[in-house]
Amino acid sequence: MQVTITRRMVAGIVAVVALVVAGGAIAASNGSGSATASPKQGCGPGPPGAGLHAGFPAAVASYLGVTKADLRTARENGTSLAQLATQQGKSVAGLEQAIYNAAKSDLDKAVAAGRITSAQETRMLSGLQPHLDDMVNSTGPPPLGPPPAA
C-alpha cells in the first residue's frame, strides 16, 4: 500500500514539476520557437535552478516552528509532515494551506516576472491541490527524479 501511495505521489509531483518547466520554457521563448530559458530567467518559481519546491522547506519549517535542519532530520527518520505537525501541536489542514500558500506565492512571482501566465498558474495550483494529502502523509525524504519502474 505504501509503495502505491508513494508512486502516485511521485507521479503527481513529477507532473506538477513538468507543468512548471513547460510553462517556464514557453514563457521564456516569447513565441520565438526556442524553449531555452536563460539561467537568470529560470523556468519556475523561486530562485534560478530551485524549481517548484523552492519555498517548500521554508514554508513548512516556518509553519511548524522548526528549523529546516530539524525538518530534514525528521523526514530522513521516517516522520511524515502530518506526524510532525501533530507533534508540534499544529493542524494538518494548516500545514497543507501553508504549502499551498508558498506555492502560490512562488507562482505569483513567476507570473509577475513573465515566466508563466496566470492561466498556467491556475492549472499548476489546481494540480497541486489534490496531492497535498499525499505530500504531508508520505514518509522519508522527498523523492527526487522520475518515479521508479513499476
Side-chain angles (χ1 to χ4, degrees):
M1 180 71 163
Q2 180 63 30
V3 173
T4 304
I5 291 172
T6 302
R7 285 185 181 164
R8 286 182 187 160
M9 183 185 76
V10 170
I13 291 171
V14 168
V16 171
V17 170
L19 283 172
V20 170
V21 171
I26 291 167
S29 72
N30 286 333
S32 67
S34 169
T36 306
S38 70
K40 288 188 178 186
Q41 263 187 318
C43 63
L52 176 66
H53 302 292
F56 178 82
V60 171
S62 175
Y63 177 76
L64 296 177
V66 300
T67 66
K68 286 192 243 182
D70 291 339
L71 179 62
R72 182 175 35 257
T73 300
R75 298 287 289 144
E76 288 171 352
N77 290 332
T79 303
S80 72
L81 295 176
Q83 291 168 330
L84 195 55
T86 302
Q87 292 169 4
Q88 296 298 317
K90 303 287 184 163
S91 74
V92 174
L95 175 61
E96 289 178 355
Q97 188 63 49
I99 293 168
Y100 182 87
N101 291 346
K104 180 159 180 19
S105 175
D106 285 346
L107 291 170
D108 286 346
K109 290 174 188 169
V111 169
R115 291 192 306 263
I116 62 172
T117 66
S118 59
Q120 289 169 320
E121 175 187 32
T122 301
R123 281 193 306 271
M124 287 180 225
L125 289 172
S126 65
L128 171 64
Q129 193 68 45
H131 297 288
L132 288 171
D133 283 339
D134 292 337
M135 290 172 70
V136 300
N137 289 304
S138 69
T139 57
L144 299 174

